[in-house]
């Protein structure tokens, strides 16, 4: 029986960023305590449905760190008390640099957290202002230092590309900042204007880089991060050797996971389902079936998000037959155009191919 991942959604933020479409809102300590009790109830429920061991736990949001170290530790204690957690499990919590200045990292480390992901987005103040962030680059640096002092050395920083008024020089400045902090992982992704966000409402007034400039940002980041020792392993993720996110790789490898919290998605026993974007649905434990998961098309689509790509032997082992000649012919055409590479073992995107991967994958499957 394969080990699974656990995702815990913390739907609270001090303020809502204008680009964010994740389910979150403002809270206070009473709300945080009440939500913690509801979470614990659902953790106990799901532990009765799951016999699998757990290989990764990820606290996302929202801003999980607004709960504070004691409530986060209490939630993790309940998970460890109710699920079979593998001894080398990766246990991540997202931290906002604003709360990272005060949170007790020693308490988090003692509770079992061994990885943190810091939502920095940029090291350039005017870009942070554009994004509505309530922290400075120095706050992020302090957060990294405090986490390391507590013994948590597996640290990721988020970096956004395509921010209004961003330049190649300012992107380089942010990348240099991340490398200078000595973090082990960097998530670097292009800004998307999502429906329902404040940026979407004002999209015609935003001075955003055009598609050619965004492509230049992305290709520069891939090359420059590699020169600094951060190898790309997924479209938007780069890591020092051995520090790739186990939790994220489980998603892209079509591994199963349980998501607990309003708006959280799950893939378990071949089914994809989710909680609605409301506290009441979550409190009532109401989930909605999405679709069957893990079929051939989904496996190809998710595998190709990884730099390792579609490994033919893995595909054959899972589906009991080889990749079709029709698919291979299509891949060869994209390889000839420089968007993919293919050999006897696997097919994968080049950095140029990753930029248009959604379009290519739609054609392939």
């Amino acid at each position: 029986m394969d080990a699974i991942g656990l995702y815990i959604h913390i739907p609270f933020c001090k303020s809502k960023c204008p680009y964010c479409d994740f389910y979150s809102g403002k809270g206070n300590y009473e709300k945080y305590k009440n939500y913690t009790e509801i979470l614990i109830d659902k953790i106990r429920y799901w532990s009765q449905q799951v016999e699998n061991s757990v290989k990764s736990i990820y606290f996302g949001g929202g801003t999980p760190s607004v709960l504070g170290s004691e409530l986060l530790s209490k939630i993790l204690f309940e998970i460890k008390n109710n699920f079979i957690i593998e001894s080398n499990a990766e246990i991540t919590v997202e931290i906002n640099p604003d709360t990272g200045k005060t949170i007790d990292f020693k308490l988090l480390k003692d509770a079992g957290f061994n990885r943190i992901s810091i939502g920095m987005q940029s090291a350039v103040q005017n870009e942070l202002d554009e994004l509505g962030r309530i922290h400075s680059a120095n706050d992020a640096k302090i957060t990294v230092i405090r986490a390391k002092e507590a013994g948590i050395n597996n640290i990721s920083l988020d970096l956004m590309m395509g921010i209004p008024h961003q330049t190649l020089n300012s992107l380089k400045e942010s990348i240099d900042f991340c490398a200078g902090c000595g973090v082990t992982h960097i998530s670097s992704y292009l800004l998307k204007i999502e429906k329902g966000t404040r940026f979407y409402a004002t999209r015609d007034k935003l001075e955003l880089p055009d598609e050619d400039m965004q492509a230049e940002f992305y290709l520069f980041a891939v090359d420059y991060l590699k020169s600094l020792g951060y190898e790309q392993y997924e479209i938007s993720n780069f890591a020092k050797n051995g520090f790739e996110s186990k939790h994220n790789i489980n998603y892209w490898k079509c591994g199963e996971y349980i998501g607990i919290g309003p708006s959280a998605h799950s893939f378990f026993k071949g089914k994809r389902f989710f909680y609605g974007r409301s506290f009441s649905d979550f409190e009532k434990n109401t989930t909605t079936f999405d679709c069957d998961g893990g079929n051939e098309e989904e496996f190809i689509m998710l595998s190709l998000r990884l730099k390792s790509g579609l490994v033919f032997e893995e595909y054959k082992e899972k589906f009991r037959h080889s990749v079709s000649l029709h698919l291979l012919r299509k891949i060869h055409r994209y390889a000839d155009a420089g968007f993919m590479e293919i050999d006897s073992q696997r097919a994968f995107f080049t950095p140029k191919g990753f930029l248009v991967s959604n379009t290519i994958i739609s054609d392939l499957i």
Side-chain angles (χ1 to χ4, degrees):
M1 194 182 302
D2 291 338
I4 65 166
L6 275 185
Y7 173 76
I8 307 296
H9 189 69
I10 309 297
F12 300 108
C13 285
K14 281 189 176 180
S15 65
K16 189 77 170 177
C17 297
Y19 57 85
C20 179
D21 73 331
F22 292 127
Y23 179 74
S24 65
K26 289 186 178 181
N28 54 43
Y29 190 64
E30 280 307 307
K31 283 187 178 179
Y32 302 158
K33 282 200 302 182
N34 290 340
Y35 182 70
T36 296
E37 294 309 314
I38 298 168
L39 257 183
I40 287 171
D41 179 64
K42 301 305 175 284
I43 286 165
R44 290 171 179 169
Y45 166 80
W46 281 109
S47 72
Q48 299 302 308
Q49 318 306 312
V50 175
E51 295 178 3
N52 313 59
S53 61
V54 173
K55 62 182 174 182
S56 69
I57 305 167
Y58 194 102
F59 284 61
T63 308
S65 51
V66 298
L67 261 60
S69 304
E70 289 187 10
L71 290 179
L72 289 170
S73 299
K74 182 177 182 179
I75 296 164
L76 183 55
F77 173 80
E78 287 295 332
I79 292 171
K80 293 169 87 172
N81 210 33
N82 285 278
F83 287 88
I84 302 163
I85 311 298
E86 295 191 343
S87 59
N88 63 341
E90 176 190 88
I91 305 176
T92 305
V93 59
E94 290 181 349
I95 304 278
N96 185 288
D98 180 64
T99 48
K101 294 179 293 184
T102 55
I103 203 158
D104 188 341
F105 284 104
K106 182 70 167 63
L107 188 58
L108 292 180
K109 172 77 161 52
D110 291 345
F113 289 97
N114 53 30
R115 184 176 184 272
I116 65 167
S117 178
I118 303 170
M120 185 183 77
Q121 314 310 345
S122 173
V124 179
Q125 190 57 50
N126 73 292
E127 293 176 3
L128 290 171
D129 294 340
E130 289 277 3
L131 293 172
R133 304 296 289 174
I134 58 174
H135 65 84
S136 66
N138 193 53
D139 292 337
K141 189 173 186 177
I142 290 168
T143 302
V144 172
I145 291 168
R146 295 187 69 244
K148 287 183 175 182
E149 286 175 348
I152 302 175
N153 295 304
N154 192 355
I155 300 172
S156 178
L157 281 171
D158 282 356
L159 202 54
M160 193 175 281
M161 298 175 287
I163 301 167
H165 307 299
Q166 191 174 39
T167 65
L168 278 175
N169 282 338
S170 69
L171 175 58
K172 181 178 182 296
E173 183 180 336
S174 289
I175 293 174
D176 285 335
F177 178 90
C178 293
C181 286
V183 297
T184 52
H185 187 283
I186 296 170
S187 292
S188 186
Y189 50 92
L190 289 163
L191 170 64
K192 288 184 180 178
I193 308 300
E194 306 281 6
K195 285 185 178 180
T197 63
R198 277 184 283 150
F199 267 6
Y200 187 82
T202 60
R203 62 193 181 281
D204 294 334
K205 299 176 183 176
L206 294 174
E207 294 187 33
L208 295 166
D210 61 24
E211 284 189 6
D212 289 342
M213 195 69 221
Q214 288 186 30
E216 197 173 342
F217 285 155
Y218 181 79
L219 295 173
F220 168 77
V222 170
D223 285 342
Y224 192 51
L225 284 163
K226 183 180 176 68
S227 76
L228 296 171
Y230 296 93
E231 288 287 341
Q232 184 178 29
Y233 70 94
E234 191 264 345
I235 291 178
S236 304
N237 287 288
F238 306 79
K240 297 281 189 180
N241 186 37
F243 288 95
E244 299 82 3
S245 167
K246 293 179 183 178
H247 189 81
N248 287 338
I249 287 175
N250 184 54
Y251 290 153
W252 313 134
K253 288 283 189 182
C254 244
E256 296 196 331
Y257 55 93
I258 298 293
I260 306 177
S263 80
H265 286 243
S266 299
F267 174 39
F268 188 58
K269 293 185 176 177
K271 307 290 181 186
R272 293 193 179 275
F273 52 93
F274 59 91
Y275 283 106
R277 290 167 73 96
S278 78
F279 277 91
S280 106
D281 276 1
F282 180 53
E283 194 161 9
K284 293 172 190 170
N285 210 25
T286 304
T287 59
T288 301
F289 172 75
D290 188 3
C291 62
D292 291 328
N295 62 21
E296 294 176 35
E297 289 186 355
E298 189 177 79
F299 184 83
I300 292 167
M301 176 185 71
L302 293 174
S303 294
L304 286 173
R305 286 192 62 103
L306 291 165
K307 186 72 173 81
S308 56
L310 176 62
V311 180
F312 301 137
E313 194 57 40
E314 287 181 0
Y315 179 93
K316 187 175 182 179
E317 188 177 326
K318 187 173 181 67
F319 299 108
R320 305 300 177 198
H321 61 85
S322 300
V323 172
S324 73
L325 287 174
H326 179 64
L327 176 61
L328 291 174
R329 285 192 201 102
K330 284 187 174 183
I331 290 172
H332 275 290
R333 285 207 305 272
Y334 286 113
D336 291 342
F339 293 106
M340 298 186 77
E341 291 187 29
I342 183 169
D343 57 31
S344 62
Q345 296 180 312
R346 64 192 180 107
F348 58 96
F349 282 117
T350 61
K352 185 174 83 166
F354 270 140
L355 279 166
V356 289
S357 58
N358 287 344
T359 302
I360 294 175
I361 288 170
S362 294
D363 179 46
L364 292 177
I365 61 176

